Amino acid sequence: MAVLVLGGAGYIGSHMVKRLVADGQDVVVVDSLVTGHRQAVDEKAKFYQVDVRDKTALSQVFDQEDIDQVVHFAAFSIVPESVADPLKYFDNNTGGMITLLEVMRAHDVKQIVFSSTAATYGNPVHIPIQESDPQDPINPYGESKLMMEKMMAWADEAYGIKWVALRYFNVAGAIEDGSIGEDHNPETHLVPIILQAAAGQREFIEMFGDDYDTPDGFNVRDYVHVLDLADAHLSALKYLAAGEPSNQFNLGSATGFSVKEMVEAARKATGVNIKSKIGPRRPGDPDILVANSDKARQVLAWQPKYDNVEDIIKTAWHWTETHPHGFQY
Ligand SMILES: NC(=O)c1ccc[n+]([C@@H]2O[C@H](COP(=O)([O-])OP(=O)(O)OC[C@H]3O[C@@H](n4cnc5c(N)ncnc54)[C@H](O)[C@@H]3O)[C@@H](O)[C@H]2O)c1
C-alpha cells in the first residue's frame, strides 16, 4: 500500500513526503517539475516525472504502484498570473483534477486529500472565516480550486470517491534541519521575500498600504507552519482510512499578524535590521484574512506545534541562510 503525492517536489508537497516517510509509509511522487525541484524529494520516495494531465502516463503509475490514497498538491498558485492568464489555471488545476479522478476511478482508488485555499472564499463575510461561509472566489486561481472541490463532491456522489479539502491560509517555514524549504520563482510569498531582504538579496521589503482597517493599518494574515500543515494532511489520510465521510477544513493558526508585525518578527528572528518601505495598496487585498480552524482541531485532532510566528520565521531563515540560492546550490 502506498500514498501517491502529486506535486511532491513542490514546497508543501516535499515536506509532506518527508512526513509520510517519517511515519513509515511507502510514498510515490508524481510531479512534472514545472515549479518543483527534484532534489526536494526524499530519496526514500519513488519518483515519476509525469504531468497529472497526461492520462496514459498517470495510469501507468497507478498500474505499477499499489496506491490506495492520494494527496494532491499539483497546481499553479500565483493569483496575479491567474488573472492575466485564467485558462492556464483552468487547464492545469481544474483540467488536472478531471484526469486524476478518472484515473483514480479506473483503478478503484477511493480516497483523496486535496490542497485547497483561502482564495476559494473570496472576500470574507466574517472574520475568522469558517468552513460553512460562502465560497465566492475573486480570481481565477481561487475559482479553479473551488471547481476542483466541486468535482470531488460530484465524484463522491457518483463513484464513492471520498475527499478531504484542506483550505490553507498562508503557509511558511521549513523543516528544522534546513534540508528543504521554499524556492518559488518568482517568489510571491511574504516570509521568503522578507528573508531575501534579510539576506541582502533585495534592498528592502515593500509593505503595500498602511491605511487598512486594522490596529496598525497594515493588512493582517494568518500564518501556519508547513510541518503543522503536513501533520494535518496525515490526520486527514487517517480520517479517510477510518471510513469517515468527505469533509473540508480550514488550516490556519487563528491568530492574525500584520505585514508590519511580520517584518518586526523577522528582524528579531534573524537579528538583521531589515529595511522596509510603505508602498501603495494592491487592488483586491482584503483588510484581514484569518481562519477559524476549530473544526480541524476537533475532528482531525490537529494540534499545530508552531503557534509563534518568530519560530516559524526562524525555520525559514535556517533554510535561507544555508541555501541562499534555493535548490541551485
Ligand atoms: N504556499 C501557500 O501559501 C499555499 C496557500 C494555499 C494553498 N496552497 C496550495 O498548495 C499547493 C502547493 O503549493 P506550493 O506552495 O507547494 O506550490 P509549488 O509550486 O511549490 O508546488 C506545486 C508542485 O506541483 C507540481 N505541478 C504543478 N502542476 C503540475 C502538473 N500538471 N502535473 C504534475 N505536477 C505539477 C509543481 O512542479 C510543483 O512541484 C498548491 O496547490 C497551492 O494551490 C499553497
Side-chain angles (χ1 to χ4, degrees):
M1 295 293 196
V3 178
L4 171 65
V5 181
L6 281 155
Y11 165 49
I12 304 170
S14 59
H15 284 83
M16 183 67 209
V17 170
K18 282 201 183 283
R19 184 70 189 85
L20 287 164
V21 167
D23 196 52
Q25 310 222 23
D26 285 336
V27 185
V28 176
V29 171
V30 162
D31 198 300
S32 64
L33 300 180
V34 61
T35 58
H37 307 274
R38 179 67 184 88
Q39 309 92 297
V41 181
D42 190 285
E43 55 189 26
K44 293 205 181 77
K46 223 162 163 185
F47 180 77
Y48 292 88
Q49 185 170 354
V50 163
D51 191 302
V52 67
R53 293 163 296 178
D54 182 342
K55 195 171 177 181
T56 307
L58 191 62
S59 294
Q60 281 167 1
V61 175
F62 277 75
D63 290 342
Q64 282 168 37
E65 304 292 343
D66 186 18
I67 293 161
D68 66 334
Q69 293 188 304
V70 175
V71 191
H72 185 22
F73 297 98
F76 291 140
S77 56
I78 301 176
V79 169
E81 183 187 59
S82 80
V83 174
D85 193 358
L87 296 182
K88 178 175 174 178
Y89 278 66
F90 294 121
D91 177 19
N92 195 51
N93 299 0
T94 319
M97 182 62 102
I98 298 174
T99 311
L100 173 62
L101 291 172
E102 284 173 344
V103 173
M104 284 176 65
R105 183 186 174 209
H107 291 80
D108 205 27
V109 175
K110 293 278 174 66
Q111 295 171 7
I112 173 168
V113 174
F114 168 61
S115 286
S116 191
T117 163
T120 61
Y121 292 110
N123 285 320
V125 293
H126 308 111
I127 293 295
I129 300 172
Q130 291 193 310
E131 289 85 352
S132 51
D133 285 349
Q135 286 178 289
D136 191 7
I138 54 170
N139 53 61
Y141 164 59
E143 189 83 70
S144 72
K145 288 263 160 168
L146 180 58
M147 289 164 85
M148 293 162 89
E149 285 196 16
K150 288 185 174 172
M151 280 177 188
M152 291 188 297
W154 290 112
D156 182 2
E157 294 263 324
Y159 323 125
I161 295 178
K162 300 293 169 199
W163 56 285
V164 166
L166 298 175
R167 298 180 188 144
Y168 320 154
F169 284 64
N170 292 280
V171 188
I175 201 161
E176 297 272 1
D177 68 8
S179 57
I180 55 172
E182 194 163 2
D183 182 5
H184 293 124
N185 187 15
E187 189 53 78
T188 58
H189 296 126
L190 182 66
V191 170
I193 288 177
I194 296 176
L195 295 180
Q196 285 173 356
Q201 293 171 11
R202 50 175 86 215
E203 230 184 293
F204 57 86
I205 165 88
E206 187 167 6
M207 304 188 290
F208 298 106
D210 61 352
D211 58 351
Y212 287 92
D213 188 13
T214 58
D216 66 8
F218 293 87
N219 56 25
V220 169
R221 298 289 179 266
D222 186 334
Y223 295 85
V224 63
H225 196 282
V226 66
L227 294 178
D228 285 331
L229 210 66
D231 279 349
H233 287 72
L234 194 59
S235 301
L237 287 169
K238 291 183 176 168
Y239 166 92
L240 287 176
E244 297 290 346
S246 298
N247 216 330
Q248 315 82 35
F249 300 95
N250 287 340
L251 297 180
S253 66
T255 319
F257 293 89
S258 77
V259 176
K260 192 172 169 212
E261 287 170 326
M262 290 301 284
V263 175
E264 259 321 308
R267 287 184 183 129
K268 285 197 192 130
T270 62
V272 178
N273 185 22
I274 302 160
K275 285 190 198 145
S276 61
K277 283 190 183 169
I278 297 167
R281 268 175 178 246
R282 287 184 306 192
D285 251 354
D287 298 321
I288 302 178
L289 274 183
V290 178
N292 178 324
S293 306
D294 291 350
K295 190 176 161 191
R297 290 166 197 260
Q298 283 155 16
V299 180
L300 299 178
W302 182 51
Q303 286 186 314
K305 297 180 189 76
Y306 295 84
D307 51 6
N308 172 330
V309 276
E310 222 175 291
D311 288 343
I312 296 180
I313 294 171
K314 270 185 193 155
T315 63
W317 181 231
H318 183 39
W319 157 254
T320 307
E321 274 194 306
T322 51
H323 298 78
H325 302 287
F327 285 100
Q328 275 183 325
Y329 294 97

